[in-house]
């Protein structure tokens, strides 16, 4: 902001607050003084001016000026400022209360603001593209299963949808950037149209042209801003340079903008940002109709509704079926929804928990304010008697509530900032672009709104009470009648708190139970001692299938020779690693009908893989090194495969067809135990394994069983790989267990958050019970004094006070159990082998809370039972 | 005279500071210069708002008088309001000063000491 506009802003504020007759002189003085100070220190001058303005706003000049009887800001604004000042004074008078209240609110409001920011990035605005609501994901529909798209399909769709939408396609890819220091990067193949669909512009150079989509075109590559900075030091001459990707020369044509990490955020978080994009280079030969690997994004043309676009794609599917080009359908989904689907449920759960906490905190504060208000009855009565209107007094309480929450909200922004920093650093949820997780204007607006709303809620309880009060009754009764209407209100608030706490406790319990049960699931394998790294062959080595197998065999041999390495095996896709291939596996002698297609996960492994992962061979045999090119092709299937596709038959000796488009058949030689490949909570799928010696592959993961730590192995493993293939980049060795742990991370986060918040809710609810009971007991001091004086025993007094607490707790628990049955439905999708209405969980949550609440009641009840009647009667009769 | 001369007005602490500033500045006293004078001498922040409120009160008590100057460019075309002491104002600040001096006489070492 320029000094001029900075001053004008302040002058405008001042013109609203100052008496007309002063305005000119004060503003003139301020401008003169501001420019004088600005010449010395720009920053100090601004601080000075802001302070001066605040002083005018917070302490406006008195209305009875000699020059003018009224100021412009007289009336509601002025009296509101008086209320604010009074509220500030009252808060300053009780610093402990204020600090507790502000801190509680800061936690509640901060947590809600941070969850809003994350949800905003994940659900409301997950994509850094213009008009994201016009983007659709277009997917293939195969026997009621959504799948990726094949290249011929993409081409067909593109031809037939031109009038309604522009569509682009991409697929993941991994490369080694060559040079003296080879670097493994992940990237994507992308059509030229994709960049138009997304509306991404390069910061340097150009994007792809449509001609470059074809296979014969010049090989071109776009690089990420990050790679440009890291590897090429931001050299603008990088455009036009030739780089080697898997030993093939590509020309760099452009650099993409900073923050572009992949087409959709779920394609790569901070852990795996994409760094290179090459053109599609696809043909019907290298990407036949059976190969589904593309993701297709469409931008609906202006003036076309999403519904019309969806109908149009359905028509395309119908016409393609008519032309007998395919039997598949097409399904479209808004990209925004598609991207958010992974994190939406977790975020909604968190938002519900956070909102619950805020409600409890608000309720606690409301109760505290009611208690304070009860102590100020005389003040209220005097003001009423002197002619203050009820609405004026009610407004005073509302202003007090809002003042508290504004302070809480301001402090809460720091809490939110901390939570977001943590979130960006650890990325507990995948599929959210961390660059978008910031405290932006909508988040600040949200924070302000919830602060105001909760402030009004907090203040409305004592305000409502003030509206119903009568001056005479108040003056004569003082504190004694405090257990009347206000008492009922406070009781209702505490019942509500208890109910919310039960819901949170039950939810936290269910989530933890579910996690425990999930951790106890039999994965079907044990990889605790294994480390792994990905190994892709260079183009040179990958040229002939014969040579691929040979190279891997050689590397495997060298790694096995390293001291401390007990064995090394290969697999094309690790359990829990994602990226598995699944598809149709025709069984010989079985008619292929849609209803009875045998589908299976397909895995390529080396001999010894099952042993290394402790997967039992239950029938037949494992692969051996003799199952190689030239001998009978063999396969091993999982028990699930045998059960589902070959029930009541002996699978050994049956012939199946593993690969697309080839006539080769494999003989089943063995059956192994089931493995959960996709995740602990996904039941094992039928799986077919073949040997890498018979079904060559250019990229496999190496699994090493060793007594040495990954860091120790790194250098020797690298040496072993490079002696066979010197162009390979440094391998990244990771424990398989860490990969498995990562897949559980979102659940762990939910459990930790839910448990922390349940503990907070429990504490707050017990404090609420304590507050209400001790206040009620205090206001009955006189009554209790009389009872004791006429012979009540301490036990009788104790039970008198306890009774109230027991009733409150009972009602709260009953409502809470009902509430948690309703809330558990929301949790259903997060629960694994756990009933949302688990009776043990609900009973134990109720028991914990009930005990806590009774303990909170016991303290004031014991205090009341020791009442000295003489003192009680003397103090109260004053 | 058989009636007692009316005693000078009793001043609040900030009123004293403002009057002393006006006295120091002679004819150069206006909002910003008075505010700056007090701020620089007493090293405590003073809001213009407070200065004007006090000057307004002093004017109502007829301890100062004011007149309005010409608009200047450095003030964005706004005019200055100048202040000067009325005889009653001078009497009041003299009275305050004398009271203060009489009350502090002999205490200098204790008041100024560390």
């Amino acid at each position: 902001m320029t000094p001029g506009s900075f001053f004008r802003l302040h002058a405008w504020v001042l013109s609203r607050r100052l008496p007309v007759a002063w305005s000119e002189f004060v503003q003139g003085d301020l401008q003169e003084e501001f420019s004088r100070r600005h010449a010395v220190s720009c920053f100090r001058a601004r601080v000075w001016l802001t302070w001066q303005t605040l002083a005018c706003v917070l302490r406006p000049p008195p209305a009875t000026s000699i020059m003018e009887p009224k100021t412009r800001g007289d009336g509601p604004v002025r009296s509101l400022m008086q209320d604010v000042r009074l509220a500030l004074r009252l808060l300053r008078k009780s610093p402990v209360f204020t600090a507790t209240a502000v801190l509680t609110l800061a936690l509640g409001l901060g947590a809600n603001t941070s969850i809003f920011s994350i949800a905003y990035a994940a659900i409301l605005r997950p994509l850094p593209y213009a008009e994201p609501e016009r983007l659709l994901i277009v997917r293939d529909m195969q026997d009621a299963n959504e799948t990726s798209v094949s290249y011929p399909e993409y081409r067909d769709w593109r031809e037939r949808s031109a009038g309604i939408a522009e569509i682009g396609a991409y697929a993941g890819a991994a490369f080694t950037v060559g040079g003296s220091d080879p670097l493994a990067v992940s990237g994507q193949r992308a059509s030229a149209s994709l960049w138009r669909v997304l509306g991404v512009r390069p910061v340097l150079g150009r994007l792809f042209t449509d001609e470059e989509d074809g296979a014969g075109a010049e090989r071109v590559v776009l690089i990420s801003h990050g790679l440009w900075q890291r590897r090429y030091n931001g050299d603008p001459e990088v455009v036009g340079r030739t780089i080697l990707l898997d030993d093939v020369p590509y020309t760099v044509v452009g650099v993409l903008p900073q923050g572009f990490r992949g087409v959709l955020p779920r394609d790569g978080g901070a852990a795996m940002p994409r760094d290179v994009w090459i053109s599609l280079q696809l043909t019907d030969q290298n990407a036949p109709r059976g190969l589904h690997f593309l993701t297709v994004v469409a931008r609906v043309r202006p003036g076309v509704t999403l519904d019309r676009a969806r109908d149009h794609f359905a028509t395309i599917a119908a016409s393609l079926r008519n032309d007998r080009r395919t039997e598949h359908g097409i399904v479209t989904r808004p990209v925004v929804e598609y991207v958010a689907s992974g994190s939406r449920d977790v975020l909604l759960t968190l938002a519900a928990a956070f909102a619950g906490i805020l409600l409890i905190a608000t309720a606690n504060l409301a109760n505290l304010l009611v208690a304070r208000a009860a102590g100020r009855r005389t003040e209220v009565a005097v003001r009423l008697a002197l002619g203050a209107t009820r609405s004026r007094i009610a407004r005073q309480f509302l202003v007090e509530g809002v003042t508290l929450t504004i302070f809480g909200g301001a402090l809460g922004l720091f809490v939110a900032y901390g939570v977001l920093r943590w979130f960006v650093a650890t990325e507990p949820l995948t599929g959210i672009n961390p660059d978008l997780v910031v405290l932006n204007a909508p988040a600040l607006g949200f924070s302000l709104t919830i602060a105001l709303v909760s402030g009004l809620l907090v203040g409305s309880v004592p305000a409502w009470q003030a509206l119903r009060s009568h001056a005479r009754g108040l003056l004569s009764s003082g504190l004694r009648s405090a257990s009347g209407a206000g008492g009922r209100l406070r009781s209702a608030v505490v019942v509500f708190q208890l109910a919310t706490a039960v819901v949170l406790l039950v939810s936290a319990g269910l989530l933890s139970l579910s996690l425990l049960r999930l951790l106890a699931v039999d994965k079907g394998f044990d990889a605790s001692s294994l480390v792994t790294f990905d190994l892709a062959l260079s183009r040179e080595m990958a040229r002939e299938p014969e040579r691929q197998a040979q190279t891997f065999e050689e590397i495997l041999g060298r790694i096995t020779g390293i001291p401390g390495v007990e064995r090394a095996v290969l697999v094309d896709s690790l359990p829990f690693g994602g990226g598995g291939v699944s598809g149709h596996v025709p069984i010989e002698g079985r008619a292929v009908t849609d209803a009875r297609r045998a589908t299976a996960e397909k895995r390529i492994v080396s001999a010894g893989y099952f042993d290394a992962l402790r997967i039992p061979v239950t029938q037949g045999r494992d692969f051996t090194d003799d199952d190689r090119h030239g001998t009978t092709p063999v396969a091993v299937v999982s028990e699930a495969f045998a059960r589902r596709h070959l029930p009541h038959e002996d699978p050994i000796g049956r012939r199946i067809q593993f690969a697309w488009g080839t006539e080769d058949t494999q003989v089943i030689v063995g059956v192994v135990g089931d493995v959960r490949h996709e995740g602990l909570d996904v039941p094992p799928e039928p799986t077919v394994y073949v040997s890498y010696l018979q079904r060559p592959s250019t990229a496999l993961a190496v699994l090493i069983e060793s007594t040495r730590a990954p860091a120790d192995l790194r250098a020797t493993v690298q040496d072993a790989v490079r002696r066979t293939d010197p162009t390979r980049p440094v391998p990244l060795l990771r424990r398989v267990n860490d990969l498995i742990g990562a897949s559980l991370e979102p659940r762990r986060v939910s459990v930790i958050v839910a448990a922390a918040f349940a503990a907070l809710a429990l504490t707050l609810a017990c404090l609420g019970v304590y507050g209400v009971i001790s206040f009620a007991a205090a206001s009955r001091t006189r009554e209790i004094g009389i009872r004791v004086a006429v012979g009540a025993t301490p036990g009788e007094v104790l039970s008198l006070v306890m009774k109230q607490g027991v009733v409150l707790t009972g009602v709260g628990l009953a409502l809470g159990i009902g509430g948690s049955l309703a809330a558990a439905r929301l949790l259903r999708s997060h629960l694994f082998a756990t009933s949302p209405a688990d009776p043990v969980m609900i009973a134990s949550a109720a028991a914990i809370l009930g005990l806590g609440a009774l303990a909170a009641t016991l303290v004031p009840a014991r205090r009341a039972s020791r009442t000295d009647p003489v003192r009680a009667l003397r103090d109260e009769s004053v | 005279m058989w009636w007692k001369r009316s005693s000078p007005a009793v001043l609040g602490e900030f009123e004293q500071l403002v009057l002393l500033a006006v006295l120091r500045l002679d004819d150069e006293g206006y909002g910003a210069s008075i505010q700056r004078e007090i701020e620089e001498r007493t090293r405590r922040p003073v809001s213009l708002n407070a200065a004007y409120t006090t000057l307004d009160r002093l004017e109502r008590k007829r301890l100062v008088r004011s007149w309005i100057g010409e608009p200047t460019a450095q003030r964005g075309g706004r005019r200055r309001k100048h202040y000067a002491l009325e005889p009653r104002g001078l009497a009041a600040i003299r009275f305050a000063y004398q009271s203060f001096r009489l009350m502090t006489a002999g205490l200098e070492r204790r008041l100024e000491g560390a």
Side-chain angles (χ1 to χ4, degrees):
Chain A
M1 209 187 258
T2 63
S5 51
F6 187 79
F7 180 79
R8 275 195 296 280
L9 174 72
H10 285 264
W12 178 79
V13 174
L14 285 168
S15 68
R16 321 278 316 158
R17 303 294 306 146
L18 288 170
V20 180
W22 289 14
S23 190
E24 179 184 353
F25 311 122
V26 176
Q27 287 188 35
D29 282 352
L30 282 174
Q31 179 161 7
E32 201 180 321
E33 196 62 14
F34 177 65
S35 24
R36 193 181 68 84
R37 289 174 187 247
H38 202 275
V40 182
S41 158
C42 164
F43 176 73
R44 288 188 173 201
R46 285 175 187 226
V47 171
W48 177 82
L49 184 59
T50 308
W51 180 74
Q52 289 287 350
T53 309
L54 278 177
C56 279
V57 171
L58 292 175
R59 247 175 226 281
T64 49
S65 156
I66 192 169
M67 295 171 272
E68 193 200 26
K70 280 202 149 206
T71 61
R72 275 187 205 153
D74 202 37
V77 178
R78 170 174 290 273
S79 65
L80 192 66
M81 291 315 294
Q82 281 178 357
D83 283 351
V84 171
R85 277 202 302 279
L86 179 59
L88 287 174
R89 219 159 41 225
L90 286 171
L91 293 179
R92 213 164 43 206
K93 264 169 62 183
S94 41
V96 176
F97 163 79
T98 308
T100 320
V102 167
L103 279 179
T104 318
L105 283 167
L107 282 178
L109 293 170
N112 277 282
T113 304
S114 55
I115 203 76
F116 174 85
S117 305
I118 296 168
Y120 186 83
I123 298 175
L124 301 175
R125 190 132 192 100
L127 300 167
Y129 305 131
E131 293 187 275
E133 64 281 354
R134 304 192 65 77
L135 293 176
L136 290 174
I137 282 277
V138 191
R139 289 171 60 91
D140 185 275
M141 197 71 176
Q142 192 176 347
D143 311 333
N145 290 323
E146 272 183 44
T147 66
S148 301
V149 180
S150 70
Y151 175 66
E153 270 177 327
Y154 161 67
R155 232 190 23 224
D156 289 345
W157 296 355
R158 194 161 174 224
E159 275 165 22
R160 294 174 195 221
S161 68
I164 211 95
E166 165 115 56
I167 72 174
Y170 72 94
F175 303 98
T176 302
V177 181
S180 56
D181 174 23
L183 177 74
V185 296
S186 61
Q188 289 173 328
R189 283 172 187 274
S191 70
S193 57
L194 183 74
W195 307 107
R196 291 194 293 273
V197 168
L198 302 177
V200 171
R201 289 178 202 292
V203 287
L204 211 63
R206 63 168 177 91
L207 298 166
F208 300 148
T209 63
D210 283 316
E211 292 72 45
E212 283 160 356
D213 278 352
E218 193 201 352
R219 295 178 194 281
V220 288
V221 60
L222 289 163
I223 62 173
S224 73
H225 196 273
L227 188 71
W228 179 45
Q229 294 295 332
R230 288 195 310 273
R231 199 168 169 91
Y232 305 104
N233 303 320
D235 177 11
E237 298 292 310
V238 75
V239 173
R241 193 188 284 186
T242 301
I243 62 173
L244 290 177
L245 294 182
D246 288 347
D247 309 318
V248 179
Y250 279 80
T251 309
V252 177
V253 293
V255 177
L256 290 173
Q258 198 167 4
F260 187 85
R261 295 156 161 260
V263 176
L264 298 181
R266 57 156 66 174
D267 295 336
M272 200 185 63
R274 307 276 171 169
D275 276 324
V276 295
W277 287 265
I278 61 167
S279 53
L280 274 187
Q281 305 171 34
L282 297 177
T283 59
D284 285 5
Q285 283 70 47
N286 67 13
R289 207 167 269 279
L291 193 62
H292 291 256
F293 68 107
L294 291 171
T295 305
V296 174
V297 186
R299 181 177 286 276
V300 178
R301 293 205 189 279
V304 179
T305 63
L306 291 190
D307 283 342
R308 213 181 117 209
R310 194 179 52 220
D311 294 346
H312 189 82
F313 277 106
T315 320
I316 294 175
S319 74
L320 287 173
R321 276 196 297 269
N322 275 347
D323 298 353
R324 304 221 164 266
R325 298 180 80 126
T326 175
E327 288 164 17
H328 299 178
I330 301 179
V331 56
T332 60
R333 280 205 279 159
V335 168
V336 177
E337 201 180 279
Y338 176 76
V339 170
S341 59
S343 47
R344 184 187 296 261
D345 289 348
V346 179
L347 286 174
L348 284 180
T349 318
L350 287 182
F354 286 13
I357 284 296
L358 186 60
L359 275 175
I360 295 183
T362 310
N364 247 8
L365 268 187
N367 258 349
L368 283 174
L369 280 185
V370 173
R372 273 161 58 90
R376 281 161 58 191
R377 281 171 162 246
T378 319
E379 175 209 319
V380 169
V382 169
R383 286 178 67 184
L384 280 175
L386 289 177
T389 59
R390 270 175 231 291
S391 61
R392 182 67 207 276
I393 287 172
R395 199 181 68 192
Q396 170 64 40
F397 285 114
L398 288 180
V399 168
E400 275 183 51
V402 172
T403 310
L404 265 181
T405 51
I406 292 287
F407 277 115
L411 199 59
L413 288 181
F414 290 95
V415 175
Y417 180 74
V419 171
L420 293 185
R421 284 279 299 268
W422 167 81
F423 185 88
V424 169
T426 57
E427 281 200 64
L429 291 175
T430 51
I432 298 176
N433 185 346
D435 293 341
L436 296 177
V437 180
V438 286
L439 274 182
N440 49 13
L444 293 179
F446 172 82
S447 184
L448 185 65
T449 312
I450 57 170
L452 282 176
V453 169
S454 50
L456 290 175
L457 276 176
V458 163
S460 66
V461 183
W464 183 67
Q465 214 182 346
L467 281 176
R468 294 163 34 108
S469 47
H470 304 281
R472 219 189 57 198
L474 285 175
L475 270 177
S476 59
S477 68
L479 195 64
R480 265 165 279 156
S481 66
S483 54
R488 276 201 297 279
L489 193 59
R490 285 162 56 79
S491 303
V493 172
V494 163
V495 163
F496 166 77
Q497 279 186 311
L498 284 166
T500 317
V502 173
V503 173
L504 284 175
L505 266 183
V506 170
S507 310
L510 288 174
L511 287 173
S512 331
L513 192 65
S514 164
L515 180 70
L516 284 179
R517 292 199 173 146
L518 199 56
L519 288 173
V521 157
D522 180 14
K523 299 188 289 284
F525 65 93
D526 174 14
S528 46
S529 57
L530 299 181
V531 292
T532 180
F533 69 95
D534 292 329
L535 181 58
L537 293 186
S538 61
R539 201 173 177 77
E540 179 72 17
M541 297 287 172
R543 202 154 286 157
E544 304 149 43
E546 187 73 9
R547 220 155 139 217
Q548 293 168 14
Q550 236 174 45
T551 313
F552 275 115
E553 209 174 5
E554 203 177 310
I555 292 174
L556 218 49
R558 284 192 207 282
I559 293 175
T560 319
I562 297 172
V565 170
E566 280 161 27
R567 81 176 111 196
V569 294
L570 297 168
V571 64
D572 63 335
S573 162
L574 282 171
F576 291 71
V581 181
S582 70
H584 181 200
V585 180
I587 300 172
E588 206 176 69
R590 177 77 52 85
V592 177
T593 62
D594 271 356
R596 295 195 51 192
R597 287 171 83 122
T599 55
E601 295 263 328
K602 300 176 179 185
R603 289 281 193 277
I604 298 171
V605 300
S606 67
Y609 174 78
F610 302 120
D611 263 2
L613 273 85
R614 316 279 187 268
I615 302 170
V617 179
T618 55
Q619 221 182 322
R621 65 170 176 90
D622 186 1
F623 297 111
T624 67
D625 287 338
D626 297 330
D627 295 320
R628 53 177 59 240
H629 192 67
T631 63
T632 319
V634 293
V636 170
V637 300
S638 72
E639 284 175 339
F641 185 93
R643 237 183 357 258
R644 192 175 310 171
H645 301 312
L646 295 165
H648 320 299
E649 294 175 50
D650 182 8
I652 306 292
R654 294 297 297 258
R655 300 182 85 85
I656 56 174
Q657 213 173 331
F658 182 80
W660 299 275
T662 62
E663 294 303 315
D664 290 351
T665 56
Q666 281 83 15
V667 181
I668 299 177
V669 294
V671 179
V672 294
D674 288 330
V675 169
R676 288 177 191 255
H677 280 119
E678 297 297 316
L680 287 176
D681 49 350
V682 182
E685 283 292 305
T687 310
V688 175
Y689 300 90
V690 294
S691 164
Y692 82 104
L693 292 171
Q694 291 183 332
R695 168 82 198 161
S697 174
T698 56
L700 293 170
V702 181
L703 289 159
I704 302 172
E705 187 173 348
S706 162
T707 48
R708 294 166 64 184
D712 291 347
L713 279 174
R714 191 183 151 128
T716 43
V717 168
Q718 184 185 347
D719 184 51
V721 173
R722 288 213 172 152
R723 265 197 286 157
T724 308
D725 190 345
T727 64
R728 292 304 81 201
V730 180
L732 179 64
L733 282 137
R734 290 177 297 176
R735 289 180 197 280
V736 178
N737 265 12
D738 293 346
L739 296 176
I740 297 171
S743 79
L744 288 171
E745 203 50 34
R747 277 177 194 277
R748 241 188 262 276
V749 171
S750 322
V751 169
I752 292 169
V753 170
F757 277 75
L760 194 56
L762 179 68
T763 317
L764 286 174
C766 290
L767 276 179
V769 173
Y770 170 78
V772 165
I773 301 298
S774 54
F775 186 75
S779 59
R780 289 168 78 186
T781 307
R782 182 187 167 86
E783 177 205 329
I784 292 170
I786 293 173
R787 282 172 187 269
V788 175
V790 297
T793 63
E796 282 164 350
V797 174
L798 191 75
S799 67
L800 180 77
V801 177
M802 290 286 292
K803 205 167 76 187
Q804 196 186 358
V806 172
V807 170
L808 280 184
T809 311
V811 177
L813 292 186
L815 286 177
I817 289 170
S820 52
L821 287 177
R825 285 196 199 163
L826 278 176
L827 283 178
R828 193 183 292 271
S829 63
H830 294 275
L831 297 181
F832 174 80
T834 308
S835 156
D838 191 288
V840 179
M841 194 47 71
I842 291 176
S844 30
I848 293 173
L849 195 60
L851 285 177
L854 287 184
T857 313
L858 202 59
V859 180
R862 280 177 61 89
R863 198 187 303 139
S865 72
R866 288 196 293 265
T867 303
D868 174 1
V870 179
R871 277 189 56 188
L873 293 174
R874 192 183 55 213
D875 290 352
E876 276 284 300
S877 57
V878 178
Chain B
M1 276 173 258
W2 58 272
W3 70 89
K4 247 176 88 181
R5 211 178 156 236
S6 66
S7 57
V10 177
L11 299 169
E13 192 233 358
F14 192 61
E15 286 177 329
Q16 293 176 11
L17 296 183
V18 171
L19 282 182
L20 287 169
V22 175
L23 185 62
R24 280 189 168 276
L25 291 164
D26 280 331
D27 284 355
E28 288 302 307
Y30 62 96
S33 66
I34 293 167
Q35 180 257 347
R36 198 190 317 153
E37 186 74 21
I38 302 174
E39 215 171 67
E40 283 174 0
R41 289 196 168 269
T42 63
R43 306 208 177 279
R44 72 185 205 191
V46 173
S47 80
L48 261 178
N49 178 42
Y52 270 97
T53 309
T54 307
L55 283 165
D56 190 37
R57 192 163 56 238
L58 293 173
E59 193 171 11
R60 262 185 289 147
K61 292 191 199 167
R62 284 183 284 132
L63 299 179
V64 295
R65 70 194 140 86
S66 70
W67 68 97
I68 291 172
E70 292 299 310
T72 65
Q74 67 178 138
R75 296 170 65 86
R78 299 182 188 90
R79 295 170 300 173
R80 256 184 201 164
K81 188 170 186 181
H82 297 271
Y83 290 89
L85 285 189
E86 288 278 26
R88 274 167 56 86
L90 190 62
I93 194 66
R94 271 192 184 140
F95 180 72
Y97 173 66
Q98 271 160 15
S99 312
F100 193 76
R101 221 180 45 179
L102 289 170
M103 285 308 289
T104 53
L107 295 174
E108 293 83 356
R109 277 239 309 268
R110 283 160 72 178
L111 288 173
E112 288 176 15

